Structures are given as C-alpha cells and as structure tokens.
C-alpha cells in the first residue's frame, strides 16, 4: 500500500566534485524530511568522488532514508545525460535536483513538500543564497502567480531558471516525456524548466532562501563561453523555440524568444575581452537591434547590451572593471 507521505527523489549528478561533495552530502543527511530517495549519478569521475560516495552509502543509517542509489556511467557523458539517468531511476512523487558543489538548508524538503501539498502546485519555487568563502548574499526570485508569468519572466531575464530553484511533481516529467537533450550540457536547465512551466497547471512561490549556490571567488563572476558552449546553448534555444511555437504560448513566443536570445548571451559581456564582445554580436545577430527593447531588464543591462550592439566596447570594459571587478570583487569574497 502506498504511503500517504510523498516520496521525494533528490538527484545529484557528480563529476570530479571531491572538494565540495562533503558539504552536499552533509546537507542531505541533515534533512528533517526523511521520506527521501537519494540518487547519485557518478558521471565517470576521475578524482576521489567515487570514494566519498561509497563511504557515504556504507555509513548511512539504513532507516534514515527511503533509499539511496548510486549509478555510475562507464564513460563521461555530461550533465544532461546524468540528469536523464537520475530521472529514469526516480520513483518519487516529487523531483528535486541538487548540484554536487552546493548545499541546502535542513528544512528544505520538509518545507517544500508542505507548500506543494497545501497549494496543490505542480511546481514550487523559492529563493537562494549566493555563497562565497567569506560571505554570502540572499538572492530573491520574483514572486510569480501563474505558470505563464514565470515563463515570461525567465525568458525576459527577470527570473532564474536553475533546476535547484524549483521543486517539481515527477508526473510533469513523465506525463509529457520531458528530458534533457543528450550532450547539450549548457542551457539544459533553461529548456527543461520552461517546458515544465508550460505544462504546469498550478505553481507556487515560497519567499524563503533554501539553497546555497557555492562559488569559490569573484573570478566566478566572469563567464567565458567556448565555441562548444555556444553550440550547446544554441541547440537548447532552438529546441525551445520549436516547442513554444506549438504550445499554448505560441502567439507571444516570438517576442519572448527574442528576449531569451539577448538574455542567454549576456554572460559574454561580463568580460574585458573584445573577442567575447564580437562573439556576442555574431551569436543570434537577428536580435541585436532589440538591445534596449526589454523594459523588464535594469537600465544597466540595457545600456550594456546597447554598447555591444553599437560597438562601444570601451563602455563594456568600464562596466567590467568598475562594477564586476571593484564592486562585486569586494562584496563577493
């Protein structure tokens, strides 16, 4: 007979995470909600991650969780495939992803289950902490009231789409065959979370910060996209574009896709390298003329995009050194 207490499957993709995995495991072990299925997917790690996972499995109290699985890939396949492996193994009523270099508050799952059950929501979102070695900052997601509003805000750049910011009914994945594109490991969460919101009937937001997104230093604020990264993100964007055109959001999807294309390439402007600015200009060039059109973004971001579109690269460099290196470099240590 099935228990009336929801089973939650937590999926943790692991690849060469020996320096941070201990904190992740400790936070999972400390969860006040115990009807958990932990699924670790070791994507052919070459460091000590496997040893740490084996030790965790051998030492945990057999009555502490519903179950623990450790699945190993025989070759490194990337995070998209690792996430799919976890989904294929999951039995829970809800799915939650935790990355192997982050950690969660002890009451995270208990609170999310309570909110999901009470609100009868397919997806529950929440806030997070940006955590550095010496300090951390609470980061707030906007409070969305509908699935459509959440989709619009994610594509406009007003809300993050990271998997670890959302607690999702497994039926959304299974009933609609939602999976990650194999090998497309950048932008994979964007594609899947927007699909899930399109299918969701009811959604809910909790004004609590529950997830700690670990960053080692201020250099992590600088993003460098390789050609391979751009190719992977492009594939995920193209897949989403085709999906949305056939969805209930089809009418407004064209303008939203334009917003998304500008939003997705913004990290190229968090740099002082002209080569990155040129990549910005050549990636989805059809939207460059819309650089200042998205009123949902801050004036600072719109000015930054205008500077890239008009090739005023000195302004992008000034922003990088004044804001990213000096201001953020002091705050985020």
């Amino acid at each position: 007979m099935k228990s009336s207490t929801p089973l939650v499957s937590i999926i943790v993709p692991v690849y060469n995470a020996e320096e941070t995995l201990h904190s992740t495991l400790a936070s999972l072990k400390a969860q006040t909600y115990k009807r958990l299925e932990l699924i670790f997917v070791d994507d052919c790690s070459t460091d000590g991650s496997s040893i740490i996972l084996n030790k965790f499995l051998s030492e945990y109290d057999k009555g502490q969780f519903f179950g623990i699985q450790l699945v190993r890939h025989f070759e490194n396949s990337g995070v998209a495939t690792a996430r799919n492996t976890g989904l294929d193994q999951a039995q829970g009523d809800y799915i939650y992803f935790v990355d192997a270099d982050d950690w969660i508050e002890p009451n995270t799952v208990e609170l999310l289950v309570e909110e999901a059950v009470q609100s009868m929501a397919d997806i529950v979102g929440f806030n997070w902490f940006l955590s550095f070695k010496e300090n951390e900052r609470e980061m707030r997601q906007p409070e969305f009231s509908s699935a459509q509003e959440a989709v619009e805000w994610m594509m406009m750049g007003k809300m993050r789409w990271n998997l670890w910011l959302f607690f999702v009914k497994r039926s959304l994945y299974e009933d609609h065959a939602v999976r990650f594109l194999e090998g497309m490991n950048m932008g994979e969460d964007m594609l899947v979370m927007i699909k899930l919101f399109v299918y969701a009937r009811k959604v809910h937001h909790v004004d609590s910060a529950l997830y700690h997104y670990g960053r080692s230093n201020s250099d992590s604020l600088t993003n460098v996209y390789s050609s391979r990264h751009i190719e992977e993100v492009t594939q995920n964007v193209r897949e989403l574009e085709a999906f949305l055109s056939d969805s209930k959001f089809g009418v407004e999807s064209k303008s939203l896709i334009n917003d998304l294309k500008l939003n997705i390439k913004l990290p190229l402007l968090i740099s002082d390298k002209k080569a990155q600015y040129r990549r910005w200009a050549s990636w989805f060039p059809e939207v460059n003329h819309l650089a200042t059109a998205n009123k949902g973004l801050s004036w600072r971001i719109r000015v930054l995009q205008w500077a890239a579109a008009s090739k005023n690269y000195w302004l992008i460099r000034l922003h990088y050194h004044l804001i990213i290196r000096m201001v953020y470099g002091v705050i985020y240590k």
Side-chain angles (χ1 to χ4, degrees):
M1 184 175 178
K2 186 175 179 180
S3 171
S4 59
T5 304
L7 175 63
V8 177
S9 297
I10 298 183
I11 301 171
V12 185
V14 178
Y15 178 68
N16 290 355
E18 66 177 356
E19 293 185 5
T20 57
L21 190 53
H22 292 288
S23 296
T24 306
L25 297 177
S27 75
L28 296 177
K29 189 175 181 179
Q31 288 304 296
T32 55
Y33 191 87
K34 300 304 181 184
R35 192 162 162 77
L36 297 178
E37 175 188 47
L38 304 182
I39 303 173
F40 301 99
V41 183
D42 183 0
D43 194 25
C44 201
S45 295
T46 57
D47 65 355
S49 296
S50 295
I51 296 173
I52 295 170
L53 289 172
N54 284 330
K55 187 172 186 291
F56 181 77
L57 264 67
S58 67
E59 293 180 350
Y60 90 98
D61 181 349
K62 300 299 181 183
Q64 184 173 6
F65 304 117
F66 173 83
I68 297 183
Q69 294 186 59
L70 172 56
V71 184
R72 286 194 175 91
H73 287 169
F74 291 108
E75 61 180 26
N76 179 247
S77 303
V79 70
T81 300
R83 296 194 195 284
N84 284 341
T85 297
L87 287 171
D88 292 342
Q89 297 297 316
Q91 303 176 58
D93 300 290
Y94 295 93
I95 297 290
Y96 185 52
F97 283 95
V98 175
D99 288 345
D101 47 3
D102 304 330
W103 65 99
I104 56 178
E105 289 290 303
N107 68 329
T108 295
V109 180
E110 182 177 14
L111 175 60
L112 293 175
V113 169
E114 180 182 347
E115 293 285 346
V117 171
Q118 288 184 356
S119 66
M120 296 185 293
D122 295 322
I123 301 175
V124 177
F126 44 94
N127 302 330
W128 55 293
F129 294 98
L130 180 59
S131 302
F132 287 84
K133 285 184 178 180
E134 297 179 18
N135 58 38
E136 65 179 6
R137 178 184 177 188
E138 181 175 346
M139 311 296 286
R140 302 175 69 87
Q141 289 273 80
E143 186 171 349
F144 50 86
S145 58
S146 69
Q148 180 171 352
E149 187 174 49
V151 168
E152 291 175 354
W153 285 357
M154 283 190 286
M155 296 183 72
M156 292 173 66
K158 294 175 64 176
M159 187 168 87
R160 294 178 69 98
W161 51 59
N162 303 76
L163 294 166
W164 39 261
L165 283 169
F166 302 100
F167 189 71
V168 181
K169 273 190 177 178
R170 186 165 71 92
S171 58
L172 275 190
Y173 285 96
E174 300 308 319
D175 293 350
H176 304 285
V178 175
R179 288 296 187 269
F180 300 87
L181 291 183
E182 301 278 325
M184 300 297 110
N185 302 304
M186 287 287 287
E188 88 288 357
D189 46 355
M190 170 269 298
L191 171 64
V192 164
M193 277 316 310
I194 292 177
K195 280 187 175 183
L196 292 170
F197 268 103
V198 168
Y199 289 128
R201 291 168 298 178
K202 190 171 183 181
V203 298
H204 182 63
H205 176 77
V206 179
D207 191 21
S208 298
L210 303 173
Y211 192 94
H212 296 260
Y213 178 50
R215 304 297 270 175
S216 59
N217 52 54
S218 59
D219 288 337
S220 299
L221 296 168
T222 301
N223 297 274
V224 178
Y225 277 11
S226 67
S227 296
R228 177 60 186 170
H229 290 155
I230 290 176
E231 178 185 345
E232 291 174 2
V233 174
T234 300
Q235 287 296 321
N236 280 308
V237 170
R238 296 300 187 200
E239 170 75 11
L240 181 62
E241 188 170 14
F243 168 79
L244 285 175
S245 66
D246 294 329
S247 76
K248 60 186 177 182
F249 299 142
V251 174
E252 55 267 43
S253 66
K254 185 173 182 180
S255 62
L256 290 174
I257 282 290
N258 288 338
D259 288 336
L260 176 65
K261 288 176 179 177
L262 279 168
N263 180 31
I264 204 83
K265 62 181 185 172
L266 180 62
L268 291 171
L269 303 183
I270 311 303
S271 168
D272 64 347
K273 294 179 172 55
K274 186 180 288 188
Q276 293 290 83
Y277 312 156
R278 289 172 175 162
R279 279 187 169 182
W280 182 95
S282 62
W283 190 16
F284 299 131
E286 68 274 16
V287 299
N288 291 353
H289 71 286
L290 300 171
T292 61
N294 184 355
K295 305 303 182 185
L297 294 179
S298 69
W299 66 267
R300 178 170 63 87
I301 297 302
R302 282 183 282 153
V303 168
L304 199 60
Q305 292 179 155
W306 168 83
S310 59
K311 298 184 179 180
N312 283 288
Y313 296 152
W314 66 270
L315 188 54
I316 307 174
R317 281 203 182 96
L318 181 64
H319 170 269
Y320 177 77
H321 288 287
L322 288 181
I323 305 299
I324 304 302
R325 302 306 301 179
M326 291 183 65
V327 177
Y328 287 175
V330 170
I331 295 174
Y332 299 137
K333 287 186 177 180

